[in-house]
């Protein structure tokens, strides 16, 4: 039942197993049974359903209370490991930055090594659960994170009150002091300063070694159990079964076979994201937005002493749910009801939009796209944009963690909220899902977190529907792509990839990762195996992802080394890659297959080369140059139905082409400062294109530039007259 397709059944199983724990006579046999149950359930922390994760947390709280003396040792040893790791990172920073060494004694890991005894919790089920609890304190869902902090705070209070208290308190103070020193330590001179540019990460100069791990601002003891580097290292082998030693990359050079030629070295910039060197954009007044909360969420009282075990409300919720008749039709299916009438109106509206925009496809491929159709100030620099198919909504994610919802037709902002990204991460993807009915907004961040919002356009009624970690073990890299995803509306699946070596498929209906199974690990227990993820088959980051929108079985992925690979989900994961094209020489900025029209498959790389593909052929169908000579292509946008695409250039131009390669328009985003004399030649008009997006059906395109908060919307000139006949 841990893998039941219904989330409520999985939560009910956890609730039952929680009540199973607690037999007064704790014999060795009872202990073995309880530990085997915990071993099976521990990886359910990766479940996408927040209710399941909260029931698992309640199970953990009961288990922690029952074996409290063992968890005290786990907490103490984790503090010692944290101190040792922070000392090592601080010493590494001081070695690389000798001018900042003070006259005080340098910290040394030898001191902590001499004090650290053998870890008795290593490899135990209690140690694994404690690590899971630490990770759940930063869960993207606020209810789960709040309850996990209660359990961790309770154990820390008990630790200070135990026999280990005299040693634990100085250890906590030392960890907090080292955290402050790491926060103010300057980076090595051979690495670039972090900025609030779209990638939000340090970008070393070409040829420089990778910088050390980013220091955290505060200790997790003083900042609500934030994740640290030592926790990440300890948790690496936890999520989805983790990786084994054979998965660790090695730097040992391999001998070449006789006659094998050595590959020529390519410039370092060729395999980097085009926006890796963007400067920071500092608006005149940036106001931190408020992150949406789940419906019915209540903030805990900080003055209330923590207490475990946690209390579950699942049984009461089930009584209320099944107290209502379950066999009657849903409200939207009852003719004459308000929900039914709204649904019927949306269906008629959608059909009119489709019927009115279909004739425009032929016009769009031969007409100019330079008719202004909107101009407004977003307040922050855009990095991702997305049009709603039928509503007049434009979602814009900025270079920090805010999302703005605009009515592009009226040029008015409807809502602005924070995605709640931790420091050092950014929003990589923003998509509308379920657009035919009541749409939801989906966001994906570079830390692997996916969030879904309801009522996104309402400032007061917005809700956080779901939030979970869709990708774990995100590998740090200076050539970072973050998280890339693609949503299959017909299949109800979410495909995610990025700075990992796999492509993961999530089922929206079951809220679990596909192809997870149970395998026996002993005579008295089972455990969840890692999901059969599709191997990415490359050490380069996966930069873009697209799928066949009709059947949903074909996946096409672009990579940082210029390769484009085709996968078939119907085959076994190890054999899923059916084709690879190595025609691009640089970072693939985007690869996209159209949902309609001729369903063209288009890819483009940072050198400005755009290729059209046919899955049946081993070579490209057509190759085009989409940017000026010497310019870098910052992004590639493809219209879902019309035979056009647009390439954003580093020369502040957005070039619109037809699929045949004919240039249609060259657009330049404008802002009030671009008309000033000092900015005319060397100012704003030299800034690269930051983001661009086509409307899925209408003949519209929106774009914004680096170091600018202004959004420009253009339309196809010949199709503008027909826009008046499309319902709003």
């Amino acid at each position: 039942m841990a893998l039941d397709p219904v989330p409520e059944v999985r939560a009910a199983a956890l609730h039952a197993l929680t009540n199973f724990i607690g037999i007064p006579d704790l014999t060795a046999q009872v202990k073995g049974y309880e530990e085997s149950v915990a071993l099976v359930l521990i990886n359910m922390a990766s479940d996408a359903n927040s209710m399941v994760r909260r029931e698992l947390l309640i199970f953990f709280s009961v288990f922690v209370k029952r074996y409290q003396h063992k968890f005290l040792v786990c907490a103490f040893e984790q503090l010692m490991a944290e101190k040792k790791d922070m000392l090592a990172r601080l010493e590494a920073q001081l070695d690389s930055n000798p001018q900042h060494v003070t006259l005080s004694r340098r910290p040394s890991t030898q001191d902590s090594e001499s004090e650290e005894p053998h870890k008795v919790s290593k490899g135990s089920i209690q140690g694994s659960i404690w690590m899971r609890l630490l990770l759940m304190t930063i869960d993207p869902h606020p209810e789960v994170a709040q309850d996990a902090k209660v359990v961790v705070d309770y154990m820390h209070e008990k630790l200070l009150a135990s026999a280990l208290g005299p040693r634990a308190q100085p250890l906590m103070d030392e960890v907090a002091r080292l955290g402050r020193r790491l926060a103010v330590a300057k980076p090595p001179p051979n690495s670039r300063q972090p900025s609030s540019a779209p990638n939000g990460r340090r970008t070393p100069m070409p040829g420089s070694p990778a910088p050390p791990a980013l220091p955290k601002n505060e200790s997790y003891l003083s900042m609500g159990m934030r994740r640290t580097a030592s926790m990440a290292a300890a948790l690496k082998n936890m999520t989805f079964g983790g990786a084994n030693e054979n998965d660790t990359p090695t730097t040992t050079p391999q001998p070449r076979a006789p006659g094998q030629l050595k590959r020529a070295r390519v410039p370092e910039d060729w395999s980097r994201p085009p926006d890796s060197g963007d400067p920071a954009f500092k608006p005149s007044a940036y106001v931190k937005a408020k992150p949406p909360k789940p419906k019915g969420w209540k903030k805990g009282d900080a003055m209330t002493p923590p207490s475990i075990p946690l209390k579950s409300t699942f049984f009461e919720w089930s009584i209320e749910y099944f107290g209502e008749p379950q066999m009657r039709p849903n409200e939207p299916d009852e003719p004459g009801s308000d929900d039914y009438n709204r649904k019927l109106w949306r269906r008629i509206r959608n059909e009119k939009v489709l019927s009115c925009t279909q004739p425009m496809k032929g016009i769009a491929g031969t007409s100019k796209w330079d008719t202004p159709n909107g101009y407004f100030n977003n307040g922050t620099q855009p990095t991702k944009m997305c049009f709603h198919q039928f509503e007049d909504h434009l979602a814009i994610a900025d270079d920090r963690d805010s999302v703005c919802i605009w009515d592009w037709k009226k040029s008015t902002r409807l809502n602005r909220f924070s995605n709640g990204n931790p420091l050092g991460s950014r929003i990589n993807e923003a998509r509308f899902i379920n657009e035919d009915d009541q749409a939801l907004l989906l966001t994906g961040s570079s830390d692997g977190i996916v969030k879904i919002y309801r009522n996104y356009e309402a400032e007061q009624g917005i809700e956080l529907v779901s939030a979970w970690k869709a990708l774990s073990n995100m590998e740090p890299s200076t050539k970072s792509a973050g998280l890339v995803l693609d949503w299959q509306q017909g299949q109800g699946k979410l495909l995610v990839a990025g700075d990992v070596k796999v492509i993961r498929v999530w089922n929206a209906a079951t809220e679990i990762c596909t192809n997870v199974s149970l395998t026996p690990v002993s005579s008295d227990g089972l455990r969840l195996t890692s999901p059969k993820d599709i191997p990415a088959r490359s050490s380069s980051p996966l930069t873009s992802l697209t799928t066949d929108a009709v059947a949903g079985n074909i996946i096409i992925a672009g990579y940082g080394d210029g390769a484009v690979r085709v996968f078939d989900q119907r085959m076994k994961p190890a054999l899923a890659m059916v084709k690879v094209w190595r025609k691009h020489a640089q970072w693939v900025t985007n690869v996209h297959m159209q949902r309609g029209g001729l369903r063209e498959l288009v890819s483009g790389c940072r050198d400005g080369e755009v290729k059209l593909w046919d899955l049946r052929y081993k070579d490209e169908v057509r190759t085009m140059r989409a940017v000026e000579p010497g310019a870098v292509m910052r992004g590639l946008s493809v219209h879902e139905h019309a035979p056009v695409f647009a390439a954003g250039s580093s020369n502040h131009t957005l070039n619109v082409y037809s699929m045949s390669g004919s240039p249609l328009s060259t657009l330049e985003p404008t802002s009030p400062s671009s008309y000033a004399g000092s900015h005319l030649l060397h100012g704003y008009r030299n800034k690269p294109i930051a983001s661009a997006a086509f409307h899925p059906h209408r003949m519209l395109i929106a774009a914004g530039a680096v170091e600018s908060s202004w959004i420009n919307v253009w339309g196809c000139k010949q199709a503008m007259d027909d826009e008046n006949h499309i319902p709003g």
Side-chain angles (χ1 to χ4, degrees):
M1 297 179 76
L3 295 177
D4 193 274
V6 181
E8 289 81 1
V9 174
R10 300 198 299 272
L14 284 168
H15 184 74
L17 291 173
T18 302
N19 295 325
F20 169 78
I21 300 293
I23 299 177
D25 189 9
L26 187 59
T27 63
Q29 185 179 16
V30 171
K31 177 184 175 183
Y33 284 141
E34 292 180 348
E35 290 185 349
S36 64
V37 170
L39 182 63
V40 174
L41 301 180
I42 189 170
N43 280 325
M44 289 185 71
S46 301
D47 198 293
N49 187 277
S50 59
M51 179 173 60
V52 175
R53 296 202 303 274
R54 189 175 186 278
E55 288 300 318
L56 178 64
L57 184 59
I58 295 171
F59 173 86
F60 283 164
S61 68
V62 174
F63 195 84
V64 168
K65 183 71 173 179
R66 186 165 175 81
Y67 299 93
Q68 180 173 303
H69 60 289
K70 292 188 176 181
F71 281 95
L72 290 176
V73 178
C74 295
F76 182 77
E77 291 184 346
Q78 172 59 31
L79 288 172
M80 296 186 68
E82 179 73 8
K83 175 186 174 182
K84 179 180 178 181
D85 177 78
M86 297 176 75
L87 284 172
R89 288 191 286 129
L90 185 59
E91 187 174 5
Q93 288 192 9
L94 293 177
D95 288 341
S96 58
N97 230 0
Q99 64 268 28
H100 291 283
V101 179
T102 61
L103 297 177
S104 59
R105 187 176 69 91
R106 291 170 57 90
S108 176
T109 56
Q110 297 179 355
D111 299 337
S112 59
E113 289 175 356
S114 61
E115 298 174 0
E116 183 178 6
H118 175 70
K119 294 185 66 173
V120 297
S121 64
K122 185 177 181 180
S124 66
I125 183 63
Q126 287 80 11
S128 299
I129 290 179
W130 181 248
M131 288 297 181
R132 274 296 184 189
L133 285 170
L134 294 178
L135 182 58
M136 293 178 79
T137 58
I138 56 168
D139 192 276
H141 200 277
E143 289 182 348
V144 178
Q146 180 174 268
D147 290 341
K149 291 175 183 178
V150 171
V151 180
V152 173
D153 290 344
Y154 175 85
M155 288 307 302
H156 279 159
E157 287 189 1
K158 292 299 181 181
L159 177 62
L160 294 176
S162 66
L164 292 173
R167 295 189 61 190
Q169 185 62 63
L171 193 57
M172 291 181 179
D173 297 338
E174 179 69 10
V175 170
R177 185 183 64 83
L178 291 174
R180 290 190 295 269
R181 292 188 63 183
L182 283 170
V184 300
K186 292 186 177 181
N190 59 350
S191 65
R192 296 177 59 180
Q193 294 286 344
S195 68
S196 57
N199 59 347
R201 287 177 285 269
R202 297 177 191 265
T203 307
M205 297 296 291
S208 64
L214 290 175
K216 62 180 185 176
N217 291 340
E218 294 277 355
S219 162
Y220 62 84
L221 296 172
S222 58
M223 293 298 290
M225 299 300 297
R226 288 185 177 177
R227 187 178 183 183
T228 61
S230 64
M231 290 185 192
L235 289 166
K236 183 175 182 181
N237 296 329
M238 297 279 302
T239 307
F240 289 120
N244 52 39
E245 293 179 358
N246 297 329
D247 296 330
T248 305
T250 176
T251 57
T252 304
Q254 299 295 330
R256 295 192 300 272
Q260 181 180 358
L261 297 178
K262 184 178 179 180
R263 292 186 61 186
R265 294 181 60 87
V266 299
E268 191 74 16
D269 288 343
W270 284 19
S271 57
R272 293 186 185 276
D275 59 355
S276 59
D278 285 355
F281 174 65
K282 298 179 180 179
S284 56
Y286 184 85
V287 179
K288 181 74 173 179
K290 183 178 180 181
K293 300 298 181 183
K295 185 178 181 179
W297 181 76
K298 296 180 180 179
K299 186 176 181 179
D301 187 5
M303 303 305 295
T304 302
S307 176
I308 60 171
L310 301 174
K311 303 298 181 183
S312 173
T313 58
F314 179 76
F315 186 71
E316 290 75 11
W317 175 86
S318 300
I319 292 176
E320 181 180 356
Y321 177 79
F322 290 105
E324 298 290 335
Q326 302 299 315
M327 301 301 295
R328 67 181 182 184
N330 295 325
E331 185 73 14
D333 299 330
E334 286 283 356
S337 64
D338 291 341
D339 291 342
Y340 179 86
N341 293 335
R342 295 190 188 97
K343 187 175 182 179
L344 181 62
W345 178 86
R346 284 192 294 266
R347 184 183 305 167
I348 296 174
R349 187 269 316 270
N350 298 348
E351 291 174 354
K352 289 183 178 180
V353 170
L354 294 176
S355 62
C356 292
T357 55
Q358 286 301 312
M360 301 179 188
K361 295 190 299 182
I363 302 175
T366 57
S367 303
K368 295 290 185 180
W369 282 71
D370 54 359
T371 302
N373 204 30
Y375 181 63
F376 48 87
N377 186 2
N378 188 59
T380 54
Q381 176 185 303
T383 56
K384 290 292 178 179
M385 292 189 287
C386 180
F387 280 99
H388 193 288
Q389 288 192 50
F390 306 108
E391 301 284 353
D392 298 332
H393 296 165
L394 173 63
I396 302 176
D398 65 13
D399 58 342
R400 301 195 183 186
D401 71 339
S402 297
V403 179
C404 293
I405 308 298
W406 285 84
D407 185 326
W408 56 264
K409 184 173 288 187
K410 299 179 181 178
S411 296
T412 57
R413 193 177 73 183
L414 303 177
N415 191 16
R416 178 175 179 264
F417 60 91
S418 171
N419 195 54
N421 286 31
L423 184 65
S425 65
R426 61 159 178 163
I427 301 175
N428 288 125
E429 297 284 354
R431 303 285 180 90
F432 289 109
I433 63 176
N434 197 31
E435 295 171 271
D436 294 338
D437 196 6
Q438 294 179 337
L440 305 173
L441 179 65
L442 181 147
T443 63
S445 303
S446 58
D447 55 354
I449 301 298
V450 171
K451 295 184 179 182
I452 301 177
Y453 301 97
R454 181 191 290 118
N455 302 327
Y456 56 86
E457 77 283 1
E459 190 171 348
Q460 299 298 327
I462 186 172
E463 300 174 8
L464 176 65
V465 178
S466 182
W468 78 99
K469 194 171 185 64
L471 274 184
S472 56
N473 296 339
M474 298 286 283
E475 298 184 4
S477 173
T478 57
K479 307 172 183 179
S480 179
L483 178 141
V484 296
L485 57 84
D486 192 53
W487 167 251
Q488 295 180 340
Q489 182 68 42
Q491 301 289 326
K493 293 180 180 180
L494 179 68
L495 289 80
V496 293
D499 294 331
V500 292
K501 297 181 180 180
V502 296
I503 301 173
R504 184 160 294 163
V505 184
W506 290 89
N507 192 311
T510 61
E511 298 186 74
I512 56 176
C513 191
T514 59
N515 298 327
V516 185
S517 59
L518 284 168
T519 56
V521 294
S522 62
S523 59
D524 57 352
L526 297 171
R527 70 168 296 175
L528 287 169
T529 61
S530 59
K532 304 300 181 182
D533 296 323
I534 301 174
R537 303 291 292 270
S538 175
S539 59
S540 297
L542 200 150
T543 62
S544 55
L545 199 64
T546 187
T547 58
D548 177 13
V550 178
N553 295 317
I554 303 300
I555 304 173
I556 303 97
Y559 291 80
D561 59 357
V564 177
R565 290 179 170 84
V566 182
F567 301 88
D568 192 337
Q569 295 189 69
R570 295 168 293 187
M571 303 183 68
K572 293 182 180 180
L575 305 174
M577 192 185 76
V578 295
K579 190 182 292 292
V580 56
W581 293 305
R582 302 182 185 275
K583 301 298 183 179
H584 289 297
Q586 300 187 24
W587 181 282
V588 176
T589 57
N590 191 19
V591 57
H592 187 81
M593 176 178 283
Q594 291 180 303
R595 299 180 188 175
L598 298 178
R599 298 179 60 211
E600 298 280 7
L601 176 60
V602 187
S603 68
C605 67
R606 72 190 308 274
D607 64 355
E609 196 174 62
V610 176
K611 295 180 180 292
L612 271 65
W613 307 93
D614 191 316
L615 294 175
R616 300 168 295 180
Y617 302 149
K618 64 178 182 180
D619 294 320
E620 67 271 23
V621 177
R622 184 177 293 112
T623 301
M624 296 162 281
R625 294 289 305 178
V627 298
E628 303 81 3
V632 175
M633 187 168 73
R634 298 291 302 250
L636 175 68
S637 301
V638 182
H639 199 283
E640 293 292 358
H641 297 87
V644 295
F645 67 89
S649 168
S650 59
N651 291 345
H652 193 71
T653 58
L654 181 66
N655 304 315
V656 183
Y657 287 84
S658 66
M659 290 297 179
S660 61
S662 301
L664 300 178
S665 295
T666 299
L667 310 173
E668 293 189 13
T670 58
S671 73
S673 62
S674 64
Y675 298 106
S678 59
H679 295 270
L680 187 57
L681 296 177
H682 303 289
Y684 174 78
R685 293 197 173 184
N686 284 337
K687 303 302 180 183
I689 300 297
S691 179
F694 278 103
H695 192 284
H697 296 294
R698 303 175 191 259
M699 303 303 122
L700 297 173
I701 185 172
V706 174
E707 296 188 45
S708 173
S709 59
W710 290 86
I711 308 298
N712 293 256
V713 181
W714 298 276
C716 179
K717 186 175 183 180
Q718 298 298 326
M720 292 303 294
D721 294 337
D722 296 332
E723 288 286 330
N724 298 327
H725 303 289
I726 301 179

